[in-house]
């Protein structure tokens, strides 16, 4: 079971199947889907599949998806989480995040991601995390930079950033 995480402004709560409607609504928003789902309007079933696979694959390793709720109002502002990269056999993970556009420009994605990275280094055995996006997604690249991630590669319209386990943070025995 993944933990809930708190920051000064946010409650990050592990998503469950009860959150599929909220996530489908968020993921089909015109501002969110542009880079996250290659601008396609995914079906409710596709959203459910994404929720289930991130949860099922990740839970044994201490990763998965969280909803980002504002502590002040309990409104859901977005989501963030970690999932295995497409070549699952390599065991590499990537950080994902997205906010309802009404909540852009307040530092919430960076605040949520920092909390998730603290969780990653404290409670899992992963030593490196990636983040990828399409090159025009400047706002997402700015989040990666604010998190201290370094550019690894840029090819085929996609930019890849990475962050290594900070010195002094010993891996937890999870996997
Ligand atoms: C990527 C995405 C989450 C970035 O959102 P964002 O609001 O720009 O990022 P943050 O929440 O970290 O906020 C940073 C902005 O808030 C500002 N800000 C305001 N108050 C702040 C505070 N208290 N602390 C930090 N930053 C603050 C920052 O200056 C920055 O503004 P700028 O963009 O004008 O420089 C958003 O564009 C999104 O949801 N996109 C769709 C999904 C997506 O593409 N995801 C990435 C693929 S994984």
């Amino acid at each position: 079971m993944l933990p809930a995480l708190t920051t000064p402004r946010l409650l990050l709560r592990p998503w469950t199947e009860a959150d599929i409607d909220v996530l489908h609504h968020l993921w089909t928003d015109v501002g969110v889907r542009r880079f996250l789902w290659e601008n396609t309007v995914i079906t409710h079933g596709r959203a459910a599949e994404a929720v289930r696979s991130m949860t099922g694959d990740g839970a044994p390793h201490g990763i998965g998806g969280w909803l980002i709720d504002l502590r002040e109002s309990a409104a859901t502002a977005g989501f963030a989480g970690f999932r295995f990269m497409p070549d699952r056999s390599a065991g590499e993970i990537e950080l994902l995040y997205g906010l309802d556009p009404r909540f852009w420009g307040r530092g919430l994605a960076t605040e949520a991601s920092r909390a998730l990275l603290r969780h990653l280094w404290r409670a899992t055995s992963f030593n490196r995390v990636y983040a990828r996006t399409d090159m025009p997604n400047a706002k997402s690249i700015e989040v990666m930079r604010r998190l201290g991630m370094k550019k690894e590669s840029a090819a085929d319209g996609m930019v890849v950033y990475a962050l290594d386990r900070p010195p002094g943070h010993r891996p937890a025995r999870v996997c």
Side-chain angles (χ1 to χ4, degrees):
M1 177 85 179
L2 298 181
L5 306 169
T6 51
T7 73
R9 292 182 291 176
L10 304 172
L11 168 66
L12 308 181
R13 56 182 175 91
W15 69 34
T16 70
E17 299 211 0
D19 299 309
I20 290 170
D21 284 354
V22 173
L23 285 162
H24 181 240
H25 187 72
L26 181 66
W27 287 340
T28 52
D29 176 276
V30 65
V32 177
R33 69 178 189 240
R34 179 171 171 213
F35 296 115
L36 203 59
W37 294 103
E38 293 170 347
N39 211 20
T40 57
V41 179
I42 60 163
T43 63
H44 191 274
R46 178 75 189 86
E49 191 186 309
V51 168
R52 289 186 190 122
S53 74
M54 252 174 90
T55 306
D57 292 349
H61 305 275
I63 59 171
W66 283 259
L67 284 182
I68 302 173
D69 287 352
L70 297 185
R71 288 173 65 178
E72 193 181 72
S73 62
T76 296
F79 79 98
F82 303 105
R83 72 171 176 192
F84 284 101
M85 302 267 276
D87 180 8
R88 171 75 170 80
S89 60
E92 292 169 334
I93 57 164
E94 64 179 332
L95 170 68
L96 302 170
Y97 41 75
L99 296 175
D100 181 318
R102 289 175 299 157
F103 297 97
W104 291 6
R106 301 190 203 174
L108 300 177
T110 304
E111 185 170 319
S113 299
R114 284 201 178 112
L116 289 191
L117 289 170
R118 280 194 295 276
H119 163 78
L120 192 72
W121 307 137
R122 192 179 54 227
T124 81
S125 60
F126 294 100
N127 289 318
R128 172 167 257 232
V129 60
Y130 293 90
R132 302 178 296 156
T133 194
D134 296 325
M135 279 175 190
N137 194 356
K139 284 186 179 300
S140 179
I141 293 169
E142 282 308 313
V143 174
M144 295 171 199
R145 291 195 180 131
R146 279 193 289 272
L147 295 173
M149 303 185 89
K150 299 285 179 259
K151 193 172 177 180
E152 277 275 302
S153 63
D156 302 327
M158 170 84 57
V159 59
V160 180
Y161 277 68
L163 186 69
D164 290 319
R165 175 178 286 278
H169 288 67
R170 290 161 60 103
R173 290 191 190 170
V174 177
C175 306

